[in-house]
Amino acid sequence: MYLNDYLNKLMRVWNAQEGLAVARFVSLQDHHVKNPNLYKEYPEDAVCRTVPEPLDEIVYTHLRVVYQLKCANPPDYNEAYRHQTSCIQAVVKLLQHMKEENWILPIMYVVAIDLRLLATKCEQQARSSKAGKILEKAAESLLSCFRVCAGDTRSADEDTKRLGMLHIVNQLLKVYFRINKLHLCKPLIRAIDSSNFRDAFSLAQRITFKYFAGRKAMYDSDFGNADELLSFAFNHCPARFTKNKRLILTYLAPVKMLLGYMPRKEVLERYNVPQFHDLAAAVREGNVRRFDDTIARHELFFISAGIYLIVQKLKILTYRNLCRKVHLLLGVHQIDMEAFETALRFSGIEDITIEETHCIVANLIYDGRIKGYISFQHNKLVLSKQNPFPLVSGT
């Protein structure tokens, strides 16, 4: 296929208003990218003779990106990213030009994805002290698309560009999570939650959004909301996408455990996250030594997933279950603090003092994990006679 053939085919689907077909002609993931006949350093004249404004700018900047990726040796990702930025700016012009029409949204989708991927590639190659700067600039370009979509309030519901908001928001969330600017996610999440079209977006986009919104809620210690969002993502993600379900479960599992629901071994094995089975067993047993050993053994996994501090919060539940075992063993509601100190020593904290034992128990009372009070005069924990150890899910 020569350049003129490419442009003529593009114009046929453009005139037929086939947005998905047009999008394929400007996507870096499409097979036409492998066609040497399209590798032109300066394709503007040929494109402008066939393609009308403002589509022409999108097409020739796309072909310039292809040229930099395929003809430069090695591929010039920085120059390709620069042209892709021009491409998405041209997409913004197209969105503004074509009022009360949204069939062109697929063009925005593919150009936005390619921009993020190219920016990520540039970041990987740069490895400079200013990590994240290129992705941050890419996010600014993506925000331009978001503003156009969000501001389209006059079109009819079936023609509104607001239906494209979630796709751009998901690209922005991926960028902000990658550069660790999570505070910028909040207004985007709020915009989608308050949108009248939140149930009209595609299921795939909703799953992606719930996944990132759930992770944000988890980092904000809003575990109830995180559970709801991540559970939606996990339950609605098709079974064939095992890798994606495993990724969701990596965050859903610790959230469930913090709410008192221990994941089943067969589920963890099915999605290859056995790290949480050892952790859940340690918490359930109240075994502090096993808990610490599990954290140490799988430390790299927890750190790389960004959940190391989250799983550390499970230690308070381990203490709670250990204290509950002491209570069940002695069968009384007034327990000498030395009994807890002995239990903690036996569970692996060999150098613990009575003062540290008081501190641990006091924290459990403060967090609502234990109902009772410490009598310092008698050095005893006085437990409530009614439900002294409330269910974790209810605290």
Side-chain angles (χ1 to χ4, degrees):
M1 179 171 66
Y2 292 96
L3 180 57
N4 283 336
D5 298 326
Y6 165 82
L7 295 174
N8 289 331
K9 288 180 180 179
L10 168 63
M11 286 310 301
R12 273 200 295 273
V13 292
W14 171 263
N15 291 329
Q17 297 189 352
E18 297 176 14
L20 287 170
V22 176
R24 285 196 292 272
F25 280 91
V26 291
S27 169
L28 294 177
Q29 317 307 320
D30 190 67
H31 62 84
H32 76 267
V33 173
K34 298 177 183 178
N35 185 350
N37 294 321
L38 301 181
Y39 301 165
K40 309 291 182 185
E41 188 174 5
Y42 302 106
E44 291 90 328
D45 290 343
V47 172
C48 291
R49 280 197 299 268
T50 308
V51 182
E53 295 182 352
L55 179 63
D56 59 346
E57 189 176 353
I58 298 173
V59 176
Y60 68 66
T61 50
H62 167 70
L63 291 173
R64 279 188 157 196
V65 173
V66 172
Y67 178 84
Q68 294 301 330
L69 293 177
K70 296 298 180 180
C71 291
N73 189 18
D76 192 338
Y77 288 104
N78 287 308
E79 194 65 17
Y81 166 73
R82 187 174 71 81
H83 289 308
Q84 190 68 22
T85 302
S86 300
C87 189
I88 202 160
Q89 289 168 353
V91 169
V92 172
K93 293 177 189 174
L94 179 68
L95 293 171
Q96 292 170 333
H97 176 74
M98 301 191 70
K99 293 179 173 59
E100 299 187 11
E101 292 183 75
N102 66 3
W103 63 269
I104 52 174
L105 287 177
I107 302 171
M108 178 186 74
Y109 299 160
V110 298
V111 174
I113 291 171
D114 288 340
L115 179 73
R116 178 180 61 81
L117 294 176
L118 279 172
T120 303
K121 193 70 178 178
C122 291
E123 290 280 0
Q124 290 170 348
Q125 288 198 328
R127 295 177 184 173
S128 65
S129 57
K130 295 182 178 180
K133 291 295 179 184
I134 299 172
L135 277 166
E136 204 167 340
K137 287 288 185 185
E140 291 175 10
S141 298
L142 293 172
L143 274 170
S144 299
C145 292
F146 173 76
R147 292 189 191 101
V148 174
C149 292
D152 185 22
T153 55
R154 294 185 179 182
S155 303
D157 286 356
E158 61 272 15
D159 297 323
T160 183
K161 295 181 180 69
R162 283 182 289 172
L163 291 170
M165 286 170 56
L166 187 56
H167 194 287
I168 294 297
V169 165
N170 285 339
Q171 297 305 312
L172 284 164
L173 291 175
K174 289 177 182 180
V175 170
Y176 291 148
F177 268 81
R178 191 174 184 91
I179 63 177
N180 201 25
K181 295 275 180 100
L182 300 193
H183 63 284
L184 297 175
C185 298
K186 192 172 182 179
L188 297 174
I189 293 171
R190 193 164 53 235
I192 298 301
D193 286 341
S194 61
S195 171
N196 295 331
F197 299 94
R198 59 182 176 273
D199 296 324
F201 300 121
S202 72
L203 180 60
Q205 293 301 323
R206 284 159 62 202
I207 289 170
T208 302
F209 173 74
K210 300 277 187 181
Y211 165 71
F212 283 107
R215 284 181 63 186
K216 178 66 169 66
M218 179 189 72
Y219 291 131
D220 290 340
S221 297
D222 186 359
F223 299 118
N225 192 29
D227 177 29
E228 182 183 342
L229 292 164
L230 290 169
S231 293
F232 178 96
F234 184 79
N235 294 331
H236 289 83
C237 182
R240 67 182 183 276
F241 297 116
T242 310
K243 183 180 176 182
N244 289 349
K245 288 184 83 80
R246 180 182 186 271
L247 196 59
I248 298 166
L249 193 59
T250 301
Y251 302 97
L252 179 59
V255 167
K256 286 284 190 185
M257 291 165 71
L258 284 163
L259 294 173
Y261 304 103
M262 298 299 150
R264 297 196 308 274
K265 184 179 180 181
E266 57 268 24
V267 175
L268 299 176
E269 287 179 344
R270 187 189 311 158
Y271 296 105
N272 193 27
V273 278
Q275 299 88 345
F276 295 112
H277 172 65
D278 296 339
L279 202 61
V283 173
R284 195 182 293 112
E285 295 168 6
N287 191 329
V288 181
R289 180 188 285 112
R290 185 175 180 181
F291 180 90
D292 289 340
D293 288 347
T294 301
I295 292 288
R297 189 164 65 254
H298 302 300
E299 184 178 42
L300 288 177
F301 170 78
F302 294 135
I303 290 173
S304 63
I307 56 173
Y308 183 78
L309 296 178
I310 300 296
V311 295
Q312 282 286 3
K313 291 176 183 284
L314 291 166
K315 197 164 191 176
I316 196 75
L317 298 186
T318 311
Y319 287 138
R320 179 255 186 204
N321 290 341
L322 179 64
C323 291
R324 183 171 179 271
K325 282 191 170 183
V326 172
H327 165 62
L328 293 173
L329 186 66
L330 298 178
V332 294
H333 285 83
Q334 293 186 19
I335 304 172
D336 199 304
M337 291 299 294
E338 289 179 357
F340 294 117
E341 183 184 7
T342 302
L344 288 164
R345 278 211 182 99
F346 181 77
S347 187
I349 315 177
E350 295 173 358
D351 58 347
I352 195 163
T353 64
I354 192 66
E355 289 81 9
E356 289 170 330
T357 304
H358 275 268
C359 184
I360 289 170
V361 175
N363 278 324
L364 287 167
I365 294 170
Y366 177 78
D367 282 349
R369 308 297 184 185
I370 294 177
K371 288 168 69 176
Y373 63 91
I374 298 173
S375 171
F376 288 96
Q377 184 178 358
H378 300 97
N379 195 36
K380 289 182 182 292
L381 170 64
V382 181
L383 291 168
S384 169
K385 291 184 178 179
Q386 292 184 343
N387 195 21
F389 291 88
L391 291 172
V392 175
S393 56
T395 57

